[in-house]
Structure formats: structure tokens, C-alpha cells
Amino acid sequence: MNDLELIASSAVRLSLPLAFAAAGEYVAERAGTLNISVEAMMLGGAFCAVTGASITGSASLGLLAGIAAGLLVAFVHGTFSHRLAVNTYVVGLTLNVLVLGLTSFLAESAKATGHQVDVLRIPLLADVPTLGPVLFAHRWPAFLLVGIVPLVWWLVHRSRWGLEIRASGESPQSADVSGIDVNRRRRQALLVCGLLAGLGGAYLAVGEVGSFNQDMTAGRGYIVIAAVIFGGWTLRGTLAGCLLFGATDALRLALPALGYALNPQLLISAPYLLALIAMLVFAKSRQGPAALGTPFIRGIT
Amino acid sequence: MRSSSTAGAAADSAVAPAVEMQGITKGFGRVVACDRVELSVGRGEIHGLLGQNGAGKSTLMKILLGLVMPDAGRILVNGNPTAITDPLIAAKAGIAMVHQHFSLVPALRVWENVTLGERGRVDREQARRLVREVGERYGLEVDPDTKVADLSTGQRQRVEIIKCLRRDPALLILDEPTSMLTLAESRELFTVLRRAVQDEDKTIILISHKLDEIVHATDRVTIMRGGAVVARRETAQTDVRELAREMVGRELSKWTAATAVGTMDALVTPAAASSSSEGEVRLRITDAHANAPDGRPLLRGLSLEVRAGEILGLAGVEGNGQTAVGDLLSSLLELDRGSVEVCGGAVSAGRPGAMHAAGVGVVPEDRHVSGCVLDMSVAENLVLADLGQVSGRGFVSPRRLRAHAERLIGEFDIAVPSPDTPMRLLSGGNQQKVVLARELAAQPKVLVVAQPTRGLDVGAIEYLTERVYRAAENGIAVLLISTELEEILTLAHRVAVIHRGAVIGEMSRADVDVERLGLMMGGQAA
Amino acid sequence: MNRFSTLGLYAASLGGALLIVAGLVTASGYSAWDTLVALYQGSLQGGASIGLTIDEAAPLLLVAVGSIICTQAGIFNIGQEGQLAVGAMTGAAIALYCPGPGPAVLILALLGAAAGGAAWAGIAGLLYYWRRVDVVICSLLLVFVAMQLLSFAVNRSYLLQENAVPGQVMIPESDLLPLNERLPRLGSYPGLNVGTGVFVALALTALVALALRYGRWGFRLRMLGLNPIAARRAGVRAALLGTGAVVLSGAFAGLAGGVMLTGSSYRIQDGFADNVGWEGLLVALMARNRPVLAVPVALFFGALRAGGGFLASTGVPRYLVSIVTALLVLAAVFPVAFQEARRFQRGRATARAAALEGVAS
């Protein structure tokens, strides 16, 4: 492998966990929830995946445990912010603090043994020079994305549920008049987000790394939020954002070894800066869901 | 579904009306919105429902749609008594209403909006085809793939209608469908409706206050006033003049008679009117043009003058630009063209606080939305814009705030346990008194009062009416914006009529001719 | 009766949260009682512990009060964590590079910290003012940029990194502040001793409480937050006042960073903010946006932080403190939200029942 291949394959690897979670965050934001707790979902997913794998002895079952953790966080978030109408940012923030504390506490109290899912090399394709190792040789859950991404797109843009999700995020009052239970749809979208973000975190833990360490997501959830904003609330753009942010991360890790000096702090903050710039650009065209982050309470217009 | 119900009542479906409402009565608290209303709408006709604001038209239709439950009366659909306790039951009975832009999501495409709220799989091709089909059938052409946000107001209305027609209802209700449409768009709409009735055997109820619409588009018309049906006519056998008289009432209504106690009779004399028209011009709006953020025109060349000591009543049917006039004089609306002068000096429109500083006091129409802060105390609400008079060096003096509040509470007879009571706990009448007291305490040169008595009981109405009259007597120029004609006729020295964002006619109180006023409010130049 | 059930709900909610914590501790093989004792010893037993609690509470209080200002105007700034870091950086730069008599530099550093936080929040404020960019998202994203900015500065010897000592590995932190540029402490170890930062925090809290309650500015701010339309009608320049509130809340967060810098850590390093920004937000939330109430809540959170440091001695991971904090916040917001939601549902149910009755009769 030459340097470029190395960087490219590490860029793809680093963007994979982001892509899972970003697909979920995309659904949640389309429904009108700016879901900050995606960080907690990922971290919880990572921790439970390792613990689950350690208990059952199977990394694949660990993935399921990770998904369950993401769903649990989503359920709590949805109950507080779309049933009890507590400010969604406050709930998200609190959940992030809680899950970070919980996972750190538990990780220190009980050591889990390492487990990792297997690498899957797609026959023939993986042998293609350059592209092969970059795209076609990964831990097997990575290839789930091949199904998940089109499915999420179909769900949001072609299914009745997705239509109602988008209506809830754009214009909850109109959706309500049309007979849609806005808050229920938002809770469901959060659950989808929890499922995918939990899977993303689990993939990071039992896929890429093979173990859990304290605060192992290290703000990846926020990068996911930045990716959705950077992508202008389109699925394609969101995934492009994940790839770009994965690449900046790969560059940060690879450049010093290759003898180049590029400011690591700039590279780490690149996702956030790019998202900020994207927000400025989109501010005029009003790209995001119109009701993003605003709670829906019947009768208040 | 429709065919089966017709088959069931095959014998009498030829004679039974599509919908019959018998003895419908509905009260909200002490207000009777519908009083033993009888309405009969025949199959395959466009039935006009004419009346001013608050005549009970909307409540009646909400009852028919299952959104409001009547206190008494029954509804027959195709001759069968039907208990419509739920919007779903109304939908099953084939009754549907075209909403006023409330049910469209601007970011979604037309076909998506049309299919929103249905159940089952989303079939894009079928939905698009249906939009086109329904569009062609009724002449409501609109591209199914356009985003609703990119459509004009008229086109959006088409989408609302398509959304409704798609469910193939037997009875279609349209509530003031043309209030936001251009003339050409309105004409088109009525062509469509006529086609639906002739070709598809649909029945349509058209709620309107516009006389020419009623005359041109309907087959029969029912006229409501004060919650009761006052007349039924075959449209062909009536004309706008008769309709105007029926809508407004032949004489001033019992409301005025009941509240015009003692002083009030003496107040409303032509003498008072003529004497005040000599005062200096305090407020002059010249050729005001303004648009809403979404590009909808709000004011189209509105001009008016109010003199010191006179009350100018701005009459007109709701939605013709009254809110914009109120906003303009509260510095909330910028003008694209035209000017506002207060006491001879130009005031820049839209600059926060400019109108207030120039001496314009405003009692807004939606007082609890924009006239006061419900979660602040009464004392605080009495000084919202004039903190200066109760504070020194950046701090509000609680003592002076309280003294100020107590003085006004006494002067305006506001029933409140303490100045510290939250505004939210006050009755509507007392809230309105607080707003009026605050605006008058600032000693304005011009006082704008919008819908001052809406939603108030008789006692509060009487009180406020008298206060406004006295303000004018003390030399303040008063602009009274109201959709209640009685209110304007009781108070105003001069009456101007606003229609589609412009003043289309003026007359002094002494020359008021109810028929002419009704015609102007209905958009007939007279 | 109603009041009683509210209290009961609160008790149940908080009790439930504590029960979860106790269960967690026990299940992990520690003694819940020992943990409680350790938390008590670290935060309340003896003058030194109480002093530590107060020291921890001061920056939390400052952040909370700043956040309250913003929330009163109806705007949500959640970027305090970053504003605090930028403020501390500015303060450190002034303290380390600005010549002059110690006390003067100290005051300058504190003012600079406030200015730094204000400037960082000002980015979000200005974008909101000009382009209506959402303050929440913007301030949140800026947190992570601020952290990298801090990391950048403490990794550059020409910026804030410590002066090289020959033969020693350079670590990403600044030099210690000169002794005469630190906030003086009252009392002495092991007796009760507190940094004077808390008095700054208390004084400002009192000032903000007064300004919000009696000031013309506070009056307008509350009006804007409670009813923006009425505020604009009354001549309030909404965009300007709102942006000002965002900037001011940033200044408070920056000052909190300044107090931490000059009052306890005396140097700045990577990860300086240490969640104080986030937790300050939670203090404001639990205090229901009342500055005076924020004082006891901040003290409580400060005690948890101080006790957390003492936990290590018992072997219980100090992360327990985050868990307790978060669970208590959720427990504190639950009762109100729950009752409101229930009242709303019940209201709808009775309206419907009444309507059906009307048809039947």
C-alpha cells in the first residue's frame, strides 16, 4: 500500500461510524429534532457493544447490544422532549453528561474483554488495485451501510412515514391539521436515530477498535451533527460530509508520520468550521427543516 | 361509498336535500353563536352563506364538520339523520372543507401535500396522475412536482381544493376562499366550482361576505346576522342592494340600542360630528403600499386623514388590510411606498418605537398576543413602552411603578386585586382596560383602537366605548378600526371603508346610508 | 392537595434518581454508604472542603447567571463551555504578557477574560443579528472550535505554552501565573479558606438579579423573552437587545474562565473548561432561570464536584459525580413537565366529554 492508499483507506474507516450515526441524525433532524444526544447514543452503543460482546462472547451480538443502548437513549430523549415537552437541547446535553459518566464509571468498575467482528473481503473486488483495499475490505458490519443508506433514503423520501416525518419537521401545524401525530412521528424518528447511532458507536467499538475506552467517541456525535448541517440536510451531502470529516481525521493522523506538518488543531476543528460556513451559506436559502429545534405543542402557532 | 348511500335512500334522494340542518343552537358562554338555525342545501347547487363577521357562519360550518358540537338541533345528510360527533364521521358522510392554507407544507411538493394525511403506501405516480386528472377535470391546473413554497397564493388555493376533491366528497365547504386571491384568480375559482357542480353533481357551500361573489357564483343564498338566519333568497331573484341591506340590517341593531344608555344617546349626534371636523390633521397616511414577507400585498395605496377631536371609523370586512394599518401605526410594518405623518411631521415607518415617540397610541386587535405581556404584572403592563416616567438612572422605581399603576387602576376602574397580579389572571375586559389605560396615560396625539370590544361582555363594551369617545372629546384624533359596523356607527364622526388594502369610500356619520356602506364593504364601488 | 402532590412528585422523582445511583454503586461492588461519606467529606467536612465547594461553585454560578440573562431574552446560548475557554485564554495571555503592577494586571486579566468570552459568543450573536443563523447550533459548534483554539495556543511556545526548562519535556500548558496576579484567598489552610472569586460571582449575581427585576434593561429583556411581538410594539429593538444578551452571557462565561484561572488553577491547559460550561447551563435550568435561586444550586453542584475529587480515595470512579448531576437534573425537570403534560391531556379529555354530552341531551 502506498501512502495515498493508506490515507484513503483510513479516511473511509474513520468515516464509517460517522456515516451510520449521520444517517440517523439526518432522519431525526428531518423530523424537526436537533438531536444533540446522538453523542450519547454513540457512546452508549460503543460501551454496550463491548460489554455485550464480552458477556456473550460474540462480537455480533455485541452490535445488537449497542443498538439497544442507542434505542434506550432515544426513548428517554423522546419521552422527555416530545412527550413531556422539556427543552430538547437541555435533555440532549443532560443525556450526554449522563452517558459519558455512566460509561466511564462502568468501564472503570468492570473490565470487559476485547472482541472484534471479522473483516470481510469482497472477493475479486477487494483485489482491484488502489480501490479494492479502500472500499472492499472492511469489518463486515460496514457493508450494512450499502443497505442502510438506500433504505433511509427510501424511508424519508418515498414512504408515507417519511412524508409525515418531513411534514412534521417543516410545518408541524399543517401536519397536525392534516391528521398527523407530530410528536409521535418525532419520537419515532428519534428511535431510528438511536438505532443507527447506537450501531455506529457499536461499529466503532467492536468493529474498528475492538475494545472500549473512556469517552471513546470523543465528540464524534457533534461531528455527525456538523455533517448533517454541512450536507445542507440532504442525505447525499450528509454522507459526503462524513467522508470529508473522516478524511481530515485521517490526514491528522497520517501527516506527521509522512513528514508533513499541517496544524492538527485546524484539522480537528475543520468539521465545525465547515458546518458554520455552511450555515452561513444556507441562512439565506433556508435550507434546513423550518421547524428544526422548535417543540410542537398543540394550539400554539 | 357515496353511491351506496344514495342507493340506500334512492326513493327520496331526488327530493331530499344534500344537507339539512334543523334548529341548530350553539352558545359559547353567554354568547349565542347560532340560534335555532335552519339551513337546507339542495343537491347540485352552490349555496351562498352570507353574513358579517360574527354572524355565526363559521360556527355553523364547524358543527357540520364535526369540529364543534351543537347544544341542540339535528343534521340530516341526504335525508338521513346523522350524528356528526367527529371530523371522521363528517368525512365519511362526504363532507369536506377547503382549509385556508393551514394544511399545506410549503417545503413539500404539490403531490406530496395532496397525499399527506392519507393512509397506506405512497404511490407517487398515482398521486401525480391524480393531481393532473383532478386538475384537468376541474380546470385547476398545477404542476404536481412543484414545491408549494414556489406557488402563488392562488395556486396554493388550487392545491387545497385538489387535496379536498381528491377524496371525492359530495359536499364541499369553502370559507371565504377569495380573501387572498386576485380578481382573476377568484373568477377562475368560481368557474371551477360551477363545473364541479354541473359535471360531478357536487354540492358546494360558499361562505362569503362579498356581495358580487354571492350574486355571480351561487344558486341560492342564506343570510345570517347575529347568529340567526334572517333571509333566504333565490340568487336570481335578488340583487346586491337587497343583500347588503339584509347583511347589515335595516336599522341599527339591538346591540347599539341596548348599550347606548344615557350619555351615549347624546354623544352620537350629527352636531358633535360636524364640530370636530374642523380640527387640525393629526394623522395622515398617504398612498401606503406594503407587502407581507411572503410577497402578499397588504396595503395597496391606502390614504386617510384623522383630525384632532374626531373619531374616524375604518369599517370593512376582516382581512382587507385592517391588521396592516394597525401594524403600520405600531411601527411593525415597513412601507414600500407612501408616507405617514403625525401632527404634520413625517414618521419613518417600521423603525421600532418611532410611532409611539411621535405620539401614536395603539390598542391592538389581538391584545393578549401583542398588546400586553401575560406573564408580567398589571403594573408592569401599564408602562410597557413608557418606562421613563417610572424610572430614573436606568432603574425602575418600584414605588413609582406602583403609584402609577394604582392611579391608573383607579382612574380606569380596572378590577384587579393588586397591581402585582399577573396580567394572565385578568378577565378580557380588564386586560383591555389595562391596554387602553396605558396608551391613554402616555397622552397620545393619535389613538388607534382596533376591534376594541371583540370578545368582551356588554358592560365592558359600554365602558370602553365611552372611554374612546371621551378621548376624542379631549382633542385626541381617534382611528377606530372595527369589523363591527354597529361599533363604528355608534362612535365615529366619519366612516371610511377599507377594501383590499385601500380606502374605497368615505362619508360622514350624518350621511351614512346603510345600504351604500354594505355595498362598499362588499367591494362594490359606490 | 395539589401542592402536596407536587411535593410528593418531586420527592419521588429525586428519590428515584438517588436510588438508581445507590443501586449502581452497590452493583459495581462499592459501598453506597462509604461513597456518601466520601462525598460529604470532600465537600462539607472541615473548612478546607467547604472552601473547595465554594471555589467550585463560583464559576458555575457565573456561567449560570450569564445563561439566565440569555434565556430571559428568549434566546438559548449553549456554547458556554467554549466561551469559558476562550475567556480563560484571553485572561491568561494578559496575565502572562501584560506588564504592570500585579493587582492592576489581575483586574485587567479578569476584564479581558470577560471580553474574550463576549467576543466568542459575539460570533454567534452577530451571525444571528445579520443572517438569523440559529444561536443554538452556532454556539454549540463554536465550543469545539474554541477547544482546538485553546489546544493550539498551549501547544505553541510563542503563544501560551510554558517557557522551556532545559531537559524537561514540554507539556501543553501555560506557565503559572505570578503570585501577585492571583485572586487573593481569605483564610488559610486547613481552616476555611475561599478564593475571592466567589465574591465577584455573588456581587454580579446580585447585580443581575436587581437589573432583571428593577432595571429598564431587564424589563425590556423580560418583555422580549415573554412576548417578542408586544416588545416590538413597545419599541424594543429586538435584534439588538437579543444579540446583546448573547454577548453578555458570553462575557459571564468568559469571566468564569478568568476566575478559574486566577482563583484556583493558576495556569491554563488542554481541557481547561472541564465541563464547567455545560454544568453551569444545568445550574441555570435547575434554578428555573432565577439568579438568586442559582446560588444554592451552584453551591450544590460545586459540592458534588468537590466531593468527586475526594471519591478517588475510596476507589469509586469520580465519574459518579456526572451521573448524579445528570440524574438530578432529569429528576428536577420531570415533575413540572409531567404535571403540565397531564393537565393538558386532562383538559382535552374533559372538553371532549362535555361536547359528547351536549349531543346526547
Side-chain angles (χ1 to χ4, degrees), chain C residues 158-291:
Chain C
Y158 56 88
L159 289 173
L160 288 175
Q161 196 171 27
E162 59 184 347
N163 286 314
V165 180
Q168 195 185 315
V169 185
M170 299 264 283
I171 48 173
E173 62 178 22
S174 74
D175 280 327
L176 282 168
L177 262 53
L179 283 174
N180 61 352
E181 289 175 11
R182 299 177 184 179
L183 275 173
R185 293 191 75 81
L186 300 178
S188 62
Y189 191 83
L192 176 66
N193 67 101
V194 289
T196 35
V198 71
F199 299 108
V200 177
L202 284 174
L204 283 172
T205 306
L207 194 67
V208 168
L210 279 176
L212 282 176
R213 183 80 187 81
Y214 299 113
R216 286 162 72 162
W217 165 80
F219 191 97
R220 296 212 172 92
L221 205 68
R222 280 188 291 139
M223 199 168 25
L224 179 64
L226 291 170
N227 188 341
I229 305 174
R232 284 178 56 208
R233 248 181 216 284
V236 170
R237 286 159 198 269
L240 202 64
L241 194 64
T243 306
V246 173
V247 170
L248 201 59
S249 77
F252 270 80
L255 185 62
V259 165
M260 283 163 74
L261 175 81
T262 57
S264 50
S265 74
Y266 306 131
R267 62 156 39 118
I268 188 161
Q269 69 268 62
D270 245 346
F272 175 85
D274 193 24
N275 289 335
V276 171
W278 302 127
E279 284 182 22
L281 265 177
L282 299 181
V283 170
L285 174 78
M286 271 183 84
R288 303 246 201 114
N289 291 313
R290 275 178 236 157

Side-chain angles (χ1 to χ4, degrees), chain A residues 229-251:
Chain A
I229 297 167
F230 174 80
W233 289 274
T234 63
L235 188 56
R236 210 184 311 147
T238 300
L239 293 173
C242 289
L243 201 59
L244 181 66
F245 300 161
T248 56
D249 210 14
L251 278 181

Side-chain angles (χ1 to χ4, degrees), chain B residues 167-187:
Chain B
R167 279 154 220 182
D168 207 20
L171 174 71
L172 204 60
I173 304 168
L174 290 102
D175 188 357
E176 304 280 1
T178 59
S179 59
M180 309 229 178
L181 301 189
T182 63
L183 276 176
E185 284 170 337
S186 308
R187 280 207 195 97

Side-chain angles (χ1 to χ4, degrees), chain A residues 193-212:
Chain A
C193 179
L195 189 154
L196 290 174
L199 182 58
Y203 178 76
L204 179 73
V206 297
E208 298 294 343
V209 180
S211 64
F212 181 83

Side-chain angles (χ1 to χ4, degrees), chain B residues 34-46:
Chain B
C34 291
D35 186 11
R36 281 160 294 168
V37 171
E38 306 276 336
L39 178 73
S40 169
V41 180
R43 173 166 299 283
E45 71 171 9
I46 301 183

